[in-house]
DNA sequence: CTTGACCTTGACATGATGGGAAGGTGCACG
DNA sequence: CGTGCACCTTCCCATCATGTCAAGGTCAAG
């Protein structure tokens, strides 16, 4: 199986498959006599695994650990769960920061006419740094 | 005022001040005879503006627009509000995606023993790609 | 044999920031 | 006056995951 077919089958672009090989996330694929990379069912499983983990937002480093655990039949599920929990915590923290920013901006926007006049609390806040509470 | 003092006063690192100058976000600072950058009150205001905008998650491109509007006394507040609204929409979309991932992962984690046994629904999901609903 | 689709490697870009090296400057203290 | 230290300068490289582009080799069908 060619890299293009493997890419289509797994949803990982050919570019990324080569990249993952280069950084050692996956083993170097076999080669035909002319140098084309060759992929078998096992490789496809690995690539699909990676794609699903990426879809869940795991970093390459985390996926490296998850792959090792996946291939370790004596793994402890606690190790997997811990990686997932840390990732969830990171995502929740990101959400919290986003929520804060959204809240502040929506508050400022609510007090902005949004018409042709130049007065704008959003710019005022950015310029003077007056605390949100003081804006009202 | 030196770049280091300006950095401390505004919360923008010296490194980033130079970077912002290089990409044309701010005007090139004046120089002393020996080549040191010199900053005045106006420059400090601009840098503080930028830092507050970054704190609210605006991209450099958006800040470029906001700076232009800020310095345009004939601006329409609607233009500012539109930039802010687009940014809020982007952040909310990111939150939505994060929430989806968190939801899926928490669901899988809830069914993972998290002990020394190797069975793990998280790995199973990643390996087989079975839909979340089918997992129960 | 030609054509077109695919493969190869390699270099470069993103966006915002950090790190570090190599060398010049300013200032305070002895 | 000299020395040391903290700061400044420029330039290059790294992050993270992905994309784009270019130049050249390969394969299969017509």
């Amino acid at each position: 199986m060619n890299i293009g077919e493997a890419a289509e089958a797994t949803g990982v672009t050919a570019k990324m498959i080569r990249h993952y090989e280069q950084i050692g996330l996956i083993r170097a694929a076999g080669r035909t006599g002319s140098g084309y990379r060759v992929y078998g069912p096992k490789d496809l499983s690995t690539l699909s695994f990676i794609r699903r983990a990426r879809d869940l937002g795991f970093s390459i480093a985390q996926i490296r650990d998850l792959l090792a655990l996946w291939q370790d039949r004596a793994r402890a599920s606690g190790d997997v769960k811990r990686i997932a929990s840390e990732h969830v915590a990171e995502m929740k923290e990101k959400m919290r920061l986003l929520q804060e920013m959204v809240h502040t901006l929506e508050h400022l926007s609510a007090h902005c006419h949004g018409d042709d006049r130049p007065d704008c609390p959003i710019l005022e806040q950015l310029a003077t740094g007056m605390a949100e509470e003081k804006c009202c």
Side-chain angles (χ1 to χ4, degrees), chain A:
Chain A
M1 206 172 195
N2 269 345
I3 195 172
E5 297 165 313
E8 185 156 10
T10 61
V12 182
T13 63
K15 194 77 194 178
M16 293 315 300
I17 296 178
R18 293 193 197 100
H19 180 61
Y20 292 155
E21 180 180 314
Q22 210 202 337
I23 65 176
L25 186 66
I26 57 182
R27 292 169 315 175
R31 300 284 182 133
T32 66
S34 55
Y36 281 26
R37 285 176 181 82
V38 179
Y39 296 89
K42 203 169 168 183
D43 302 310
L44 296 188
S45 300
T46 304
L47 289 171
S48 295
F49 183 102
I50 292 172
R51 194 183 73 76
R52 290 189 198 101
R54 292 289 306 133
D55 286 349
L56 286 175
F58 285 103
S59 71
I60 297 294
Q62 288 169 322
I63 294 175
R64 205 182 290 270
D65 295 343
L66 289 173
L67 276 174
L69 289 170
W70 184 41
Q71 279 145 19
D72 174 9
R73 270 176 294 180
R75 69 185 164 245
S77 62
D79 290 342
V80 179
K81 193 167 183 173
R82 187 179 34 74
I83 294 175
S85 299
E86 283 170 11
H87 179 41
V88 164
E90 287 163 14
M91 289 195 289
K92 283 187 169 176
E93 175 64 8
K94 278 188 197 167
M95 287 176 62
R96 196 184 60 75
L97 294 175
L98 283 169
Q99 182 55 56
E100 268 183 22
M101 295 190 285
V102 164
H103 178 254
T104 303
L105 262 184
E106 285 191 328
H107 181 82
L108 290 170
S109 278
H111 293 267
C112 174
H113 301 304
D115 55 18
D116 290 342
R117 284 174 289 177
D119 332 323
C120 178
I122 302 171
L123 284 184
E124 277 167 29
Q125 157 89 27
L126 290 172
T128 70
M130 58 186 179
E132 191 183 343
E133 315 83 53
K134 285 189 183 171
C135 113
C136 298

